[in-house]
Short mmCIF file of all heavy atoms in Angstrom, two decimals:
data_model
loop_
_atom_site.label_atom_id
_atom_site.label_comp_id
_atom_site.label_asym_id
_atom_site.label_seq_id
_atom_site.Cartn_x
_atom_site.Cartn_y
_atom_site.Cartn_z
N PRO V 138 26.98 -142.56 -145.44
CA PRO V 138 26.55 -141.47 -144.52
C PRO V 138 27.46 -140.32 -144.61
O PRO V 138 28.61 -140.36 -144.91
CB PRO V 138 26.59 -142.14 -143.14
CG PRO V 138 27.59 -143.29 -143.29
CD PRO V 138 27.53 -143.73 -144.72
N LEU V 139 26.82 -139.12 -144.33
CA LEU V 139 27.54 -137.84 -144.42
C LEU V 139 28.66 -137.80 -143.38
O LEU V 139 29.75 -137.36 -143.72
CB LEU V 139 26.58 -136.66 -144.21
CG LEU V 139 27.14 -135.30 -144.32
CD1 LEU V 139 27.87 -135.08 -145.60
CD2 LEU V 139 26.11 -134.23 -144.01
N GLY V 140 28.34 -138.13 -142.13
CA GLY V 140 29.45 -138.18 -141.06
C GLY V 140 29.91 -136.79 -140.73
O GLY V 140 31.03 -136.66 -140.27
N MET V 141 29.17 -135.78 -140.99
CA MET V 141 29.52 -134.40 -140.63
C MET V 141 28.34 -133.76 -139.91
O MET V 141 27.21 -134.11 -140.14
CB MET V 141 29.86 -133.59 -141.87
CG MET V 141 31.12 -134.05 -142.59
SD MET V 141 31.53 -132.91 -143.94
CE MET V 141 32.22 -131.55 -143.04
N LYS V 142 28.67 -132.71 -139.17
CA LYS V 142 27.59 -131.88 -138.61
C LYS V 142 27.94 -130.45 -139.02
O LYS V 142 29.08 -130.15 -139.42
CB LYS V 142 27.56 -132.05 -137.10
CG LYS V 142 28.80 -131.65 -136.37
CD LYS V 142 28.67 -131.95 -134.90
CE LYS V 142 29.94 -131.45 -134.15
NZ LYS V 142 29.89 -131.67 -132.74
N PRO V 143 26.95 -129.56 -138.88
CA PRO V 143 27.20 -128.19 -139.32
C PRO V 143 28.37 -127.47 -138.50
O PRO V 143 28.57 -127.98 -137.32
CB PRO V 143 25.86 -127.47 -139.03
CG PRO V 143 24.88 -128.58 -139.05
CD PRO V 143 25.53 -129.76 -138.57
N TYR V 144 29.05 -126.66 -139.08
CA TYR V 144 30.18 -125.98 -138.46
C TYR V 144 29.68 -125.00 -137.38
O TYR V 144 28.58 -124.40 -137.56
CB TYR V 144 30.99 -125.24 -139.46
CG TYR V 144 31.75 -126.08 -140.39
CD1 TYR V 144 31.49 -126.03 -141.73
CD2 TYR V 144 32.79 -126.94 -139.96
CE1 TYR V 144 32.22 -126.84 -142.64
CE2 TYR V 144 33.53 -127.71 -140.88
CZ TYR V 144 33.16 -127.67 -142.19
OH TYR V 144 33.86 -128.46 -143.06
N ASP V 145 30.41 -124.77 -136.32
CA ASP V 145 30.06 -123.72 -135.37
C ASP V 145 30.61 -122.39 -135.95
O ASP V 145 31.82 -122.21 -136.07
CB ASP V 145 30.72 -124.07 -134.01
CG ASP V 145 30.42 -122.98 -132.92
OD1 ASP V 145 29.81 -122.02 -133.22
OD2 ASP V 145 30.93 -123.22 -131.83
N VAL V 146 29.71 -121.56 -136.31
CA VAL V 146 30.09 -120.27 -136.98
C VAL V 146 31.03 -119.46 -136.07
O VAL V 146 32.09 -119.04 -136.57
CB VAL V 146 28.83 -119.50 -137.39
CG1 VAL V 146 29.22 -118.19 -138.02
CG2 VAL V 146 27.99 -120.24 -138.34
N GLU V 147 30.73 -119.36 -134.81
CA GLU V 147 31.50 -118.60 -133.94
C GLU V 147 32.96 -119.13 -133.77
O GLU V 147 33.98 -118.50 -133.78
CB GLU V 147 30.86 -118.44 -132.58
CG GLU V 147 29.52 -117.61 -132.60
CD GLU V 147 29.62 -116.27 -133.35
OE1 GLU V 147 30.60 -115.56 -133.03
OE2 GLU V 147 28.79 -115.90 -134.10
N ALA V 148 33.06 -120.48 -133.77
CA ALA V 148 34.33 -121.09 -133.60
C ALA V 148 35.20 -120.87 -134.91
O ALA V 148 36.40 -120.66 -134.82
CB ALA V 148 34.22 -122.62 -133.36
N VAL V 149 34.49 -120.95 -136.05
CA VAL V 149 35.24 -120.69 -137.33
C VAL V 149 35.70 -119.21 -137.35
O VAL V 149 36.83 -118.98 -137.81
CB VAL V 149 34.35 -121.00 -138.54
CG1 VAL V 149 35.02 -120.59 -139.90
CG2 VAL V 149 34.05 -122.56 -138.56
N VAL V 150 34.80 -118.32 -136.98
CA VAL V 150 35.24 -116.92 -136.96
C VAL V 150 36.32 -116.60 -136.02
O VAL V 150 37.30 -115.91 -136.32
CB VAL V 150 34.02 -116.01 -136.63
CG1 VAL V 150 34.46 -114.57 -136.32
CG2 VAL V 150 32.95 -116.01 -137.75
N ARG V 151 36.35 -117.28 -134.79
CA ARG V 151 37.41 -117.16 -133.84
C ARG V 151 38.69 -117.66 -134.43
O ARG V 151 39.73 -117.03 -134.32
CB ARG V 151 37.07 -117.90 -132.58
CG ARG V 151 37.81 -117.61 -131.31
CD ARG V 151 37.38 -118.22 -130.05
NE ARG V 151 36.63 -119.54 -130.12
CZ ARG V 151 35.31 -119.67 -130.12
NH1 ARG V 151 34.51 -118.62 -130.01
NH2 ARG V 151 34.78 -120.90 -130.16
N GLU V 152 38.66 -118.78 -135.11
CA GLU V 152 39.87 -119.37 -135.68
C GLU V 152 40.36 -118.44 -136.85
O GLU V 152 41.60 -118.27 -137.06
CB GLU V 152 39.53 -120.82 -136.31
CG GLU V 152 40.67 -121.44 -137.11
CD GLU V 152 41.78 -121.92 -136.25
OE1 GLU V 152 41.67 -122.17 -135.09
OE2 GLU V 152 42.92 -122.11 -136.84
N TRP V 153 39.46 -117.92 -137.66
CA TRP V 153 39.80 -116.96 -138.67
C TRP V 153 40.51 -115.77 -138.16
O TRP V 153 41.53 -115.24 -138.63
CB TRP V 153 38.49 -116.55 -139.45
CG TRP V 153 38.74 -115.49 -140.44
CD1 TRP V 153 39.20 -115.63 -141.74
CD2 TRP V 153 38.46 -114.07 -140.26
NE1 TRP V 153 39.12 -114.39 -142.39
CE2 TRP V 153 38.77 -113.44 -141.50
CE3 TRP V 153 38.02 -113.24 -139.30
CZ2 TRP V 153 38.70 -112.10 -141.74
CZ3 TRP V 153 37.89 -111.92 -139.48
CH2 TRP V 153 38.28 -111.38 -140.71
N ARG V 154 39.96 -115.18 -136.97
CA ARG V 154 40.65 -114.09 -136.32
C ARG V 154 42.02 -114.44 -135.93
O ARG V 154 42.93 -113.59 -136.07
CB ARG V 154 39.81 -113.57 -135.13
CG ARG V 154 38.51 -112.87 -135.53
CD ARG V 154 37.81 -112.45 -134.27
NE ARG V 154 36.57 -111.77 -134.66
CZ ARG V 154 35.49 -111.84 -133.88
NH1 ARG V 154 35.54 -112.45 -132.67
NH2 ARG V 154 34.45 -111.26 -134.24
#
Side-chain angles (χ1 to χ4, degrees):
L139 179 60
M141 291 185 80
K142 60 182 182 180
Y144 293 115
D145 179 356
V146 176
E147 296 306 317
V149 172
V150 169
R151 193 170 34 258
E152 175 73 19
W153 174 81
R154 286 181 185 148

